[in-house]
Amino acid sequence: MSDYPITVPTGHRIGPWTVERPLGAGAFGSVYAAVRSEDSSADDGLPARAALKFLPTGTRTPRQLRHLRDLAEREVELLGRLRSPRLIRMYEALTVDDPEHPELDGATVLVLEEAADSLQTALPGLPAADRARVLTQVCEGLAQLHGAGWVHGDLKPGNVLLMADGSVRLGDFSTASELEGTHAYATAFATADYTPPELLWSDFGEHGTRIRPTADLWAFGVLAHLVLTGGHPLPGGTPSARRDAALRYARGDEELRLSPELSEAWREIVGACLSRSHEDRARGAGRTAESLLPRVQEAAEGRPARRSRRPLLTAAAAVLTLAVTALGVTLLPDETPRAKAKATPKAGATVTATAAGYERCTPRAVCFFSAPDGGGEMCAWEGDDPDWFDGQTDCSWADRTSARSVFNNGGPDPKGFVHVAYFAEAGLQRRLGCVERGRRQNLPTPAPVLSHTWAKRC
């Protein structure tokens, strides 16, 4: 097993676990199947079987050791903080204490859920009816990661794990990076076939390579094309040839030629994910997998591709404004046809009293209002929204007037995400401020709030 970064003998004991056989290896770690020893406690909450991921130390240079420790710490931190149904579960982290085996001594061992298979080995025999379902669950995993403020950085078939019950988990977070605003820093390069062009030529600085969630969307586009058609979306018989094709495509020297086997909905998704640049990808597919997920779910269900409502609404409003102007009628800001239609009850409708002001905001939500003191129109969310015009809540009034007040009516959160940071641009860019849990306040200026995220601290 010379291709394994670290070799562990069968029968080796680490904590309550006994190594059985090798399962696979990556660039930085080796994974082994293990069984809980018979003499261990049955009341420790651990399963009978697990997968042990060994991240080595061994006889390496100080720089290599720092790099390996950083990779191990990132994965332990992510899996220790996140408990999402589409991410592989970590039960505990151990350290090998075995001076008699220097190559093992000091290694970090992650005790993980044992998967039945990986997509890499299962893909050739995966039934066609299951492929869209697998992609949907992969996108759900990315959405959970992005929503928690992390970028996977190495999405590929080998890191998509298939569980015994048929569900899907994402694994291998040694190259995952936590976002610092709009980007993160990756400490290692990912697989070339799944790396977006802008990262193939990017500089590796003191903190690593700058990476954004759209890098995962590029990888998802490649993965979706491979899963649905059996082939890569870029030409070439080797990874290096496909990397060169990706660079030519990014420069505009080559067009993207997707397989005719893709349905129209999947063609739009894959094409958007494989946009030439981060900026184009963010506009076409979204800045995170949270924005992309509804489209993937619709494509998997065979429904028509979802299109953004904003351009259509904007165009319709412009045409109507021209028409009424030609008739000599002036529409005041609060008298737009859409606003009047909402305000005017249908004939025969019963008008009932409703909550007013801040009281309209339901528990566990954060609500922004178009007027001071919780007045005017309201948009409410229980989760993050990196784009108020393209998320599950279409806050269309923010396109014509700025948010003037806010109420954070969120409840306790086991992970501590109880405050709300808000931003002047989609994609959580240009932070404007933060509102603590339970606080209702007027915004100091007519802030052009266009995105927000739940945060642990203000």
Side-chain angles (χ1 to χ4, degrees):
M1 295 186 298
S2 59
D3 56 340
Y4 272 56
I6 184 169
T7 302
V8 185
T10 299
H12 184 83
R13 181 80 177 261
I14 171 71
W17 305 100
T18 301
V19 172
E20 285 189 333
R21 67 184 188 282
L23 292 175
F28 307 106
S30 306
V31 183
Y32 288 80
V35 61
R36 192 176 63 193
S37 304
E38 293 182 359
D39 58 352
S40 65
S41 171
D43 300 325
D44 53 13
L46 297 173
R49 301 188 57 82
L52 305 187
K53 181 175 182 177
F54 288 79
L55 298 170
T57 54
T59 55
R60 299 172 185 256
T61 67
R63 184 174 181 179
Q64 288 175 323
L65 288 175
R66 286 195 300 271
H67 178 63
L68 290 170
R69 279 198 298 268
D70 181 68
L71 295 178
E73 288 169 1
R74 283 173 180 240
E75 188 156 15
V76 170
E77 180 182 7
L78 186 150
L79 290 174
R81 285 167 51 182
L82 302 186
R83 289 289 186 270
S84 299
R86 295 288 173 241
L87 309 182
I88 200 70
R89 182 182 176 188
M90 182 181 73
Y91 298 109
E92 59 179 341
L94 307 172
T95 301
V96 177
D97 182 9
D98 191 352
E100 295 182 2
H101 296 83
E103 72 283 1
L104 289 176
D105 192 38
T108 297
V109 181
L110 308 185
V111 182
L112 307 167
E113 280 182 289
E114 185 180 31
D117 208 343
S118 75
L119 184 59
Q120 182 174 356
T121 58
L123 183 56
L126 190 66
D130 290 341
R131 299 194 173 209
R133 176 186 61 81
V134 167
L135 289 174
T136 300
Q137 295 189 23
V138 169
C139 193
E140 288 173 355
L142 287 180
Q144 290 161 5
L145 267 181
H146 293 175
W150 288 79
V151 181
H152 189 287
D154 196 19
L155 178 67
K156 58 185 178 182
N159 292 337
V160 176
L161 305 177
L162 309 181
M163 311 306 288
D165 63 359
S167 62
V168 174
R169 304 278 196 280
L170 299 187
D172 194 352
F173 303 103
S174 58
T175 58
S177 307
E178 189 170 15
L179 289 168
E180 300 176 12
T182 61
H183 62 271
Y185 289 96
T187 61
F189 290 104
T191 309
D193 265 336
Y194 298 87
T195 301
E198 68 267 16
L199 295 184
L200 292 173
W201 60 52
S202 63
D203 294 328
F204 193 85
E206 179 184 357
H207 301 291
T209 299
R210 285 179 58 152
I211 187 172
R212 299 179 177 90
T214 55
D216 286 342
L217 299 188
W218 170 279
F220 180 79
V222 176
L223 182 73
H225 194 280
L226 181 66
V227 169
L228 295 173
T229 71
H232 287 270
L234 291 163
T238 64
S240 60
R242 291 189 289 270
R243 178 197 61 202
D244 293 341
L247 293 174
R248 292 194 303 271
Y249 165 64
R251 291 193 300 263
D253 298 335
E254 188 169 308
E255 294 299 319
L256 192 64
R257 292 185 290 272
L258 301 180
S259 170
E261 296 180 33
L262 291 174
S263 66
E264 180 184 356
W266 279 110
R267 178 177 294 273
E268 289 187 11
I269 291 171
V270 172
C273 288
L274 299 183
S275 297
R276 285 187 168 94
S277 67
H278 153 73
E279 293 78 13
D280 290 340
R281 213 170 301 133
R283 285 190 290 268
R287 293 183 179 273
T288 70
E290 293 176 292
S291 300
L292 182 66
L293 181 57
R295 295 172 63 181
V296 170
Q297 292 170 331
E298 291 169 0
E301 294 170 3
R303 288 185 280 164
R306 182 177 69 89
R307 302 179 187 276
S308 175
R309 293 178 289 167
R310 188 184 179 192
L312 180 62
L313 291 172
T314 303
V319 171
L320 189 53
T321 300
L322 288 173
V324 297
T325 301
L327 294 174
V329 178
T330 300
L331 289 175
L332 297 177
D334 58 348
E335 292 181 332
T336 58
R338 183 168 41 167
K340 293 190 71 174
K342 287 183 178 180
T344 305
K346 296 180 180 180
T350 301
V351 180
T352 58
T354 59
Y358 289 124
E359 302 308 318
R360 293 178 287 168
C361 189
T362 58
R364 298 187 303 277
V366 59
C367 302
F368 288 86
F369 305 86
S370 63
D373 303 318
E377 298 184 73
M378 180 187 77
C379 282
W381 293 268
E382 291 190 14
D384 300 343
D385 194 339
D387 187 345
W388 282 12
F389 299 121
D390 196 31
Q392 294 182 349
T393 298
D394 182 5
C395 196
S396 54
W397 58 259
D399 203 14
R400 62 180 187 272
T401 186
S402 300
R404 300 299 304 275
S405 56
V406 60
F407 179 20
N408 180 352
N409 200 14
D413 180 271
K415 298 178 183 177
F417 291 92
V418 296
H419 310 303
V420 176
Y422 51 94
F423 303 81
E425 296 179 8
L428 309 179
Q429 298 189 66
R430 288 179 53 208
R431 176 167 164 148
L432 292 168
C434 184
V435 56
E436 297 177 342
R437 179 165 67 94
R439 187 174 180 82
R440 52 183 81 186
Q441 65 186 47
N442 292 329
L443 298 178
T445 60
V449 186
L450 295 181
S451 58
H452 73 273
T453 183
W454 293 87
K456 288 188 175 181
R457 61 184 65 88
C458 277

